[in-house]
Coordinates of all heavy atoms in Angstrom, one line a residue:
N6 N 67.4 83.4 210.2 CA 67.5 82.4 211.3 C 69.0 82.1 211.5 O 69.7 81.9 210.5 CB 66.7 81.2 211.0 CG 65.2 81.4 211.1 OD1 64.8 81.9 212.1 ND2 64.5 81.0 210.1
Q7 N 69.4 82.0 212.7 CA 70.8 81.7 213.0 C 71.1 80.3 213.6 O 72.1 79.7 213.4 CB 71.4 82.8 213.9 CG 71.3 84.2 213.4 CD 72.3 84.4 212.2 OE1 71.9 84.5 211.1 NE2 73.6 84.4 212.6
D8 N 70.2 79.9 214.5 CA 70.4 78.7 215.3 C 69.0 78.1 215.7 O 68.0 78.8 215.5 CB 71.2 79.0 216.6 CG 72.0 77.8 217.1 OD1 71.7 76.7 216.6 OD2 72.8 78.0 218.0
E9 N 69.1 76.9 216.2 CA 67.9 76.2 216.7 C 67.7 76.5 218.2 O 68.7 76.7 218.9 CB 67.9 74.8 216.4 CG 68.0 74.4 214.9 CD 66.7 74.8 214.2 OE1 65.6 74.6 214.7 OE2 66.8 75.4 213.0
G10 N 66.5 76.3 218.7 CA 66.3 76.5 220.1 C 65.0 77.2 220.4 O 64.3 77.6 219.5
K11 N 64.7 77.4 221.7 CA 63.5 78.1 222.0 C 63.9 79.5 222.5 O 64.8 79.7 223.3 CB 62.8 77.3 223.2 CG 62.2 76.0 222.7 CD 61.4 75.4 223.8 CE 60.8 74.1 223.3 NZ 59.7 73.6 224.1
P12 N 63.1 80.5 222.1 CA 63.4 81.9 222.5 C 63.2 82.1 224.0 O 62.3 81.5 224.6 CB 62.3 82.7 221.8 CG 61.8 81.8 220.7 CD 62.0 80.4 221.2
L13 N 64.0 82.9 224.6 CA 63.9 83.3 226.0 C 62.9 84.3 226.1 O 62.9 85.4 225.4 CB 65.3 83.8 226.5 CG 65.3 84.3 228.0 CD1 65.1 83.1 228.9 CD2 66.7 85.0 228.2
T14 N 61.9 84.1 227.0 CA 60.8 85.1 227.2 C 61.1 85.9 228.5 O 61.9 85.5 229.3 CB 59.4 84.5 227.3 OG1 59.4 83.7 228.5 CG2 59.2 83.6 226.1
Y15 N 60.4 87.1 228.5 CA 60.5 87.9 229.7 C 59.9 87.1 230.9 O 60.4 87.2 232.0 CB 59.8 89.2 229.6 CG 60.0 90.1 230.7 CD1 61.3 90.6 231.1 CD2 59.0 90.5 231.5 CE1 61.5 91.4 232.1 CE2 59.1 91.4 232.6 CZ 60.4 91.8 232.9 OH 60.6 92.6 234.0
N16 N 58.9 86.3 230.7 CA 58.4 85.4 231.8 C 59.4 84.4 232.2 O 59.5 84.2 233.5 CB 57.1 84.7 231.3 CG 55.9 85.6 231.2 OD1 55.9 86.7 231.7 ND2 54.9 85.2 230.5
D17 N 60.2 83.8 231.3 CA 61.3 83.0 231.7 C 62.3 83.7 232.6 O 62.7 83.2 233.7 CB 62.1 82.4 230.5 CG 61.3 81.5 229.6 OD1 60.3 80.9 230.1 OD2 61.6 81.5 228.4
Y18 N 62.6 84.9 232.2 CA 63.5 85.7 233.0 C 63.0 86.0 234.4 O 63.7 85.8 235.4 CB 63.7 87.1 232.3 CG 64.6 88.0 233.1 CD1 65.9 87.9 233.2 CD2 64.0 89.1 233.8 CE1 66.7 88.8 234.0 CE2 64.7 90.0 234.5 CZ 66.1 89.8 234.6 OH 66.8 90.7 235.4
R19 N 61.8 86.4 234.5 CA 61.1 86.6 235.8 C 61.0 85.4 236.7 O 61.2 85.4 237.9 CB 59.8 87.3 235.7 CG 59.8 88.7 235.1 CD 58.5 89.3 235.1 NE 57.8 89.4 236.4 CZ 58.1 90.2 237.4 NH1 59.0 91.1 237.2 NH2 57.4 90.1 238.5
D20 N 60.7 84.2 236.0 CA 60.4 83.0 236.7 C 61.6 82.3 237.3 O 61.6 81.8 238.4 CB 59.6 82.0 235.9 CG 58.2 82.4 235.7 OD1 57.7 83.3 236.4 OD2 57.5 81.8 234.8
Y21 N 62.7 82.2 236.4 CA 63.8 81.3 236.9 C 65.2 81.9 236.5 O 66.2 81.4 237.0 CB 63.7 79.9 236.3 CG 63.8 79.8 234.8 CD1 65.1 79.6 234.2 CD2 62.7 79.8 234.0 CE1 65.2 79.5 232.8 CE2 62.8 79.7 232.6 CZ 64.1 79.5 232.0 OH 64.2 79.4 230.7
F22 N 65.3 82.8 235.6 CA 66.6 83.2 235.1 C 67.2 84.4 235.8 O 68.4 84.6 235.8 CB 66.4 83.5 233.6 CG 67.6 83.4 232.7 CD1 68.3 82.2 232.6 CD2 68.1 84.6 232.1 CE1 69.4 82.2 231.8 CE2 69.2 84.5 231.3 CZ 69.9 83.3 231.1
K23 N 66.4 85.3 236.4 CA 66.8 86.5 236.9 C 67.9 86.4 238.0 O 68.9 87.1 238.0 CB 65.6 87.3 237.5 CG 65.9 88.6 238.0 CD 64.6 89.3 238.5 CE 64.9 90.8 238.9 NZ 63.6 91.4 239.3
N24 N 67.8 85.4 238.9 CA 68.8 85.2 239.9 C 70.1 84.9 239.3 O 71.2 85.3 239.8 CB 68.3 84.1 240.9 CG 67.2 84.6 241.8 OD1 67.0 85.8 242.0 ND2 66.4 83.7 242.3
D25 N 70.2 84.0 238.3 CA 71.5 83.7 237.6 C 72.1 85.0 237.0 O 73.3 85.1 237.0 CB 71.3 82.6 236.5 CG 70.9 81.3 237.1 OD1 71.2 81.0 238.3 OD2 70.4 80.5 236.4
V26 N 71.3 85.8 236.4 CA 71.7 87.0 235.8 C 72.3 88.0 236.8 O 73.4 88.5 236.7 CB 70.6 87.7 235.0 CG1 71.0 89.1 234.5 CG2 70.1 86.8 233.8
I27 N 71.6 88.1 237.9 CA 72.1 89.0 239.0 C 73.4 88.5 239.6 O 74.4 89.2 239.8 CB 71.0 89.1 240.1 CG1 69.8 89.9 239.6 CG2 71.6 89.8 241.4 CD1 68.6 89.9 240.5
K28 N 73.5 87.1 239.8 CA 74.7 86.5 240.3 C 75.9 86.8 239.3 O 77.0 87.2 239.8 CB 74.5 85.0 240.5 CG 75.7 84.3 241.1 CD 75.4 82.8 241.2 CE 76.7 82.1 241.7 NZ 76.7 80.7 241.5
C29 N 75.7 86.6 238.0 CA 76.8 86.8 237.1 C 77.2 88.2 237.1 O 78.4 88.5 237.0 CB 76.2 86.5 235.6 SG 76.3 84.7 235.3
F30 N 76.3 89.2 237.2 CA 76.7 90.6 237.1 C 77.4 91.0 238.4 O 78.4 91.7 238.3 CB 75.4 91.5 236.9 CG 75.8 92.9 236.6 CD1 76.4 93.3 235.4 CD2 75.6 93.9 237.6 CE1 76.8 94.5 235.2 CE2 76.0 95.2 237.3 CZ 76.6 95.5 236.1
T31 N 77.0 90.5 239.5 CA 77.7 90.7 240.8 C 79.1 90.2 240.7 O 80.1 90.9 241.1 CB 76.9 90.1 241.9 OG1 75.6 90.6 242.0 CG2 77.6 90.3 243.3

């Protein structure tokens, strides 16, 4: 274990995180 927190799931990515990822990459 390295740190505390909740794991990021693929459902999280699809639901709310994907747009931020695309924006960062652009």
Side-chain angles (χ1 to χ4, degrees):
N6 287 309
Q7 298 290 107
D8 205 350
E9 296 295 320
K11 292 187 178 195
L13 179 67
T14 68
Y15 187 64
N16 288 344
D17 294 334
Y18 174 77
R19 291 184 56 78
D20 287 347
Y21 68 86
F22 202 64
K23 186 176 184 178
N24 289 337
D25 291 341
V26 171
I27 292 169
K28 181 181 176 196
C29 280
F30 190 70
T31 301

